[in-house]
């Protein structure tokens, strides 16, 4: 049985109110506060109408990770729209869930960037979040079987504010912008901020190998770690000793 990743009625507003003050600061402006209120009202109404909405914890990407703790930002679009998939972390699904194609390509690129290093057999990316990788979707909820169903309802204004909050932190971050949707957020990153900004196609099989900037072969994971090392910071452990999936299994 897949785990129950359905959002419950009347829980979204409570989750937003329960965020740490450092994150809630992103909602201080009237425009963002109104967007959050609007999308919350829409989601709660859809739940009242009987819609199934995922995930159970839309703000999970912010759990246990202060804005100042963020070292790398990876942006997704909206949550997976099937039962037992979305966890509130972009691109992540539970370990016992079938690996989505985009995540498979992400692991393939990690294998290429870290040759000979065991990779996880599971699919839960919480281990990256615990190292300061913000895995943020630009829409935080979705309805069952309806991708992008909560896009343009206010989430983008909310998550833009979260991205801008992270980008204003004095410590430089690495931003991995995959695909046109994520690359549109480049405008939120201040010039001369010292951030590392890497762009490539989306890891979806529809675009991962296509020009002008194929995701497969982009080398982003190795570039991030080299950049962190140059600053005297601990690199991200993109892999784990618990797995035994190696480069050859991805056909690279």
């Amino acid at each position: 049985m897949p785990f129950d990743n359905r959002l419950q009625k009347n829980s979204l507003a409570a989750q937003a109110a329960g965020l740490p003050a450092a994150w809630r600061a992103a909602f201080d402006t009237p425009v963002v506060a109104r967007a959050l209120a609007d999308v919350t009202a829409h989601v709660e109404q859809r739940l009242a109408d009987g819609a199934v909405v995922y995930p159970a914890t839309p703000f999970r990407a912010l759990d246990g990770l202060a804005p100042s703790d963020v070292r790398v930002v990876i942006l997704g679009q909206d949550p997976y729209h099937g039962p037992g998939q979305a966890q509130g972390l972009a691109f992540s699904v539970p370990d016992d869930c079938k690996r989505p194609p985009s995540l498979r390509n992400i692991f393939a690129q990690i294998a290429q960037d870290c040759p000979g290093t065991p990779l996880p057999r599971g699919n839960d990316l919480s281990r990256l979040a615990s190292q300061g990788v913000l895995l943020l979707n630009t829409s935080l909820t979705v309805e069952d079987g309806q991708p992008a169903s909560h896009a343009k309802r206010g989430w983008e204004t909310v998550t833009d504010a979260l991205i801008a909050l992270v980008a204003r932190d004095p410590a430089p971050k690495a931003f991995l912008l995959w695909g046109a949707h994520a690359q549109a957020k480049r405008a939120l990153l201040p010039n001369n901020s010292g951030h590392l900004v890497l762009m490539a196609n989306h890891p979806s099989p529809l675009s991962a190998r296509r020009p002008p900037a194929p995701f497969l072969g982009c080398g982003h994971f190795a570039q991030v770690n080299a950049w962190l090392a140059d600053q005297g910071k601990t690199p991200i452990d993109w892999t784990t000793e618990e797995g035994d999936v190696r480069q050859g299994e991805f056909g690279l």
Side-chain angles (χ1 to χ4, degrees):
M1 289 288 293
F3 86 104
D4 188 353
N5 65 327
R6 295 173 295 178
L7 184 63
Q8 302 301 310
K9 293 179 182 179
N10 305 315
S11 67
L12 183 56
Q15 290 185 43
L19 288 171
W23 287 116
R24 284 189 282 108
F27 312 145
D28 283 347
T29 68
V31 170
V32 180
R34 171 49 55 190
L36 180 59
D38 287 347
V39 73
T40 298
H42 174 73
V43 171
E44 298 294 3
Q45 183 59 55
R46 292 299 297 137
L47 288 168
D49 292 342
V52 174
V53 176
Y54 307 124
T57 52
F59 294 101
R60 184 182 169 191
L62 311 180
D63 287 350
L65 187 64
S68 59
D69 294 332
V70 175
R71 300 198 290 152
V72 181
V73 179
I74 296 178
L75 298 178
Q77 288 186 243
D78 63 340
Y80 296 116
H81 53 272
Q85 291 183 305
Q87 301 175 292
L89 301 174
F91 297 107
S92 180
V93 296
D95 286 341
D96 59 358
C97 188
K98 182 179 179 181
R99 182 170 296 167
S102 292
L103 183 56
R104 182 172 177 83
N105 281 336
I106 289 170
F107 278 17
Q109 187 56 50
I110 291 174
Q112 190 178 69
D113 284 0
C114 309
T117 304
L119 296 177
R121 287 201 176 277
N123 306 311
D124 189 330
L125 301 182
S126 298
R127 61 192 174 80
L128 299 183
S130 68
Q131 298 178 70
V133 180
L134 178 63
L135 298 161
L136 185 69
N137 283 312
T138 55
S139 291
L140 299 187
T141 55
V142 70
E143 293 185 26
D144 180 60
Q146 300 182 54
S149 49
H150 289 182
K152 304 186 187 305
R153 291 286 183 175
W155 275 133
E156 292 84 356
T157 299
V158 172
T159 54
D160 279 2
L162 293 170
I163 295 166
L165 178 69
V166 170
R168 289 195 300 270
D169 187 77
K173 325 287 185 187
F175 288 82
L176 306 188
L177 307 181
W178 300 332
H181 184 84
Q183 289 163 18
K185 308 303 179 183
R186 178 66 179 85
L188 299 172
L189 309 181
N191 293 326
N192 304 316
S193 61
H195 297 314
L196 174 67
V197 180
L198 301 176
M199 297 190 287
N201 290 357
H202 193 275
S204 163
L206 297 175
S207 59
R209 297 182 183 274
R210 292 183 178 179
F215 174 81
L216 291 173
C218 69
H220 283 183
F221 303 103
Q223 290 177 62
V224 166
N225 277 355
W227 178 76
L228 288 170
D230 285 345
Q231 298 183 70
K233 298 180 179 178
T234 303
I236 302 296
D237 179 8
W238 301 109
T239 67
T240 176
E241 297 178 356
E242 296 176 358
D244 58 0
V245 179
R246 294 181 181 271
Q247 181 172 340
E249 295 193 39
F250 291 101
L252 296 175

